[in-house]
Amino acid sequence: MQFWSKRLPVAVAVISLGCLAAAVLATRAAAQAPPSAAKSPKSGAFFKNVTTSTLKELTPDDFLSAMGVMTDSLGWDCSECHPGAGTDKADWVFDTPRKKTARKMVEMVYEINKTNFAGAQLVTCYTCHHARDTPATTVSLDALYSTPNQEKDDIVKAQQGAPAASAVLDKYIAAIGGTQKVNAITSYITSGKSLGFAGLGGNGEFTIYAKSPDQRTTQIVFKDHPERGQSTWAFNGKTGWIVTPRGFLDEYELSGANIDGARIEAQLSFPGQIKASLTNWRSGGVDTIGDQDYQILQGSGPKGLLVTLYFDTESGLLKRMIRYTNSPIGRVPTQIDYADYRDVNGVKFPFEISFLWLDGRWTAKLESVKTNVAIEAAKFGKP
């Protein structure tokens, strides 16, 4: 699941940003175990040489997410700042000049927001960098008179005249089968194939286990290539784990904002509880994905969690979910796209799912969905 040699953002690499990004370093001591929610270690103690005032206070998994924000903001990968990154001889501890500069930048971001915006996060790494190592300072006239900027606001503002959020959500429930049939599903197992990204790294066996109200596990297994290991994202209603064999931390327990993200994904696996899963629902305008219009809704969760949903204006079906968790240098987005809805015992399920995050992406095509089946509790526990 990791693409260390490509320019894809690598959340677990410590990337120093040249201007508005920060570089902290992420090196785990050999004797240290993966982070545990019970102990809730801070990154300043868990990793070596993490010294910036805001990032050192994060839990290890939130720290790794912040590294993804840095990487994306600058358009680099780990090797730009860390000797040997991408090999088994990476030196995450050594302070390169870029890393030293980046440390200053993370403090600068903090001070700008504190001094000018009462601490509200209005300036982030991406605010200036836009996937460039050196921020642009002059507008490009070709761009000025060409395609408009496609970047979206994180926070959706309620639009006057937009349909009420409750009406959009009701239309969605009706589109997938209606309240009675949707609520009758209390568990399901889906299976299919993982296609990887752009056809690379695919052909894995893909499975989702879900149990109402808030348990969900996703697994990708390469039985023909056991050396690739098994990737697992598990949440049992209280605690979550991630196992990515080729990651910097190949196995860890969620202990920060990511636990709230895992919970909302598990809850929305059972759409009948969608209204109650989030608060402060806002109905925004209509946006276009491809050649289709989608009505945007956004709801709020705990600890600043934002969830933006895109519903087909014609069919009412859910096309996209983007959830945002917080970090000191910018929000951390995770996007799930849904397509190819098919009827399963009176309820429509998406048979194509794409998952994008700051450390890679995959697409899976389902072959079967079995509903209301018994699932042993161990499926949602520590992998």
Side-chain angles (χ1 to χ4, degrees):
M1 300 301 295
Q2 315 295 328
F3 296 84
W4 293 96
S5 63
K6 296 188 174 228
R7 187 181 165 275
L8 290 174
V10 183
V12 294
V14 188
I15 298 301
S16 34
L17 302 180
C19 186
L20 267 180
V24 243
L25 75 122
T27 288
R28 181 175 62 177
Q32 287 177 308
S36 166
K39 297 180 180 179
S40 296
K42 293 183 177 181
S43 291
F46 184 81
F47 297 110
K48 290 182 179 179
N49 204 19
V50 175
T51 60
T52 49
S53 62
T54 53
L55 297 181
K56 71 180 182 181
E57 297 299 317
L58 298 176
T59 61
D61 53 322
D62 282 352
F63 174 81
L64 298 183
S65 294
M67 296 304 97
V69 174
M70 292 182 177
T71 312
D72 240 16
S73 297
L74 198 57
W76 281 355
D77 62 28
C78 10
S79 64
E80 303 284 353
C81 296
H82 302 283
T87 74
D88 57 0
K89 296 182 180 179
D91 186 346
W92 306 106
V93 179
F94 181 72
D95 279 348
T96 61
R98 282 175 174 169
K99 194 190 300 182
K100 292 178 181 179
T101 299
R103 281 202 184 95
K104 297 177 182 179
M105 298 302 101
V106 76
E107 301 291 2
M108 184 179 73
V109 169
Y110 170 74
E111 289 297 331
I112 288 174
N113 286 321
K114 177 183 177 182
T115 303
N116 298 280
F117 305 112
Q121 191 180 71
L122 298 184
V123 172
T124 69
C125 302
Y126 193 74
T127 302
C128 290
H129 279 279
H130 288 259
R132 293 169 50 97
D133 55 348
T134 302
T137 55
T138 304
V139 66
S140 168
L141 293 180
D142 285 342
L144 180 64
Y145 297 104
S146 184
T147 305
N149 192 318
Q150 295 298 308
E151 292 167 349
K152 318 294 184 184
D153 292 335
D154 292 353
I155 298 177
V156 172
K157 298 179 180 178
Q159 296 289 318
Q160 187 174 5
S166 58
V168 177
L169 297 175
D170 288 342
K171 183 178 180 179
Y172 165 55
I173 296 300
I176 61 176
T179 301
Q180 184 175 357
K181 290 183 178 179
V182 169
N183 288 342
I185 295 178
T186 58
S187 67
Y188 61 83
I189 300 175
T190 70
S191 59
K193 297 294 183 182
S194 169
L195 307 183
F197 169 52
L200 301 173
N203 300 319
E205 295 189 7
F206 176 87
T207 308
I208 294 176
Y209 302 92
K211 185 176 182 179
S212 180
D214 57 3
Q215 297 183 74
R216 177 186 172 101
T217 290
T218 302
Q219 290 182 339
I220 300 177
V221 181
F222 298 91
K223 290 188 176 180
D224 294 335
H225 297 280
E227 72 279 2
R228 297 182 64 178
Q230 172 178 300
S231 294
T232 303
W233 297 261
F235 181 72
N236 66 4
K238 295 181 179 179
T239 308
W241 294 266
I242 292 179
V243 175
T244 49
R246 298 185 179 186
F248 179 70
L249 293 181
D250 55 0
E251 176 184 326
Y252 58 98
E253 181 178 334
L254 299 180
S255 56
N258 284 311
I259 199 74
D260 298 312
R263 179 178 291 107
I264 197 66
E265 287 181 23
Q267 291 173 337
L268 296 189
S269 296
F270 297 90
Q273 55 191 11
I274 189 170
K275 288 185 179 179
S277 297
L278 299 166
T279 61
N280 191 27
W281 283 100
R282 301 174 294 284
S283 184
V286 173
D287 199 359
T288 301
I289 302 175
D291 57 359
Q292 182 63 47
D293 291 337
Y294 295 89
Q295 175 63 47
I296 303 174
L297 296 187
Q298 187 174 76
S300 301
K303 302 175 186 176
L305 176 72
L306 295 175
V307 178
T308 305
L309 303 172
Y310 292 72
F311 295 92
D312 189 315
T313 56
E314 296 181 2
S315 69
L317 296 173
L318 178 63
K319 168 63 177 178
R320 174 172 293 175
M321 177 181 78
I322 306 176
R323 61 173 175 85
Y324 302 88
T325 54
N326 287 326
S327 86
I329 54 172
R331 290 188 179 90
V332 182
T334 300
Q335 177 176 311
I336 306 176
D337 286 348
Y338 309 94
D340 189 19
Y341 279 83
R342 302 182 193 177
D343 185 275
V344 178
N345 299 325
V347 176
K348 290 183 179 179
F349 282 79
F351 270 63
E352 181 174 322
I353 304 172
S354 296
F355 190 87
L356 300 82
W357 74 110
L358 292 175
D359 194 17
R361 63 189 297 176
W362 50 254
T363 296
K365 289 194 174 183
L366 305 184
E367 297 171 349
S368 71
V369 177
K370 298 178 180 179
T371 61
N372 294 332
V373 293
I375 306 175
E376 57 186 8
K379 289 293 185 183
F380 306 104
K382 183 178 179 179

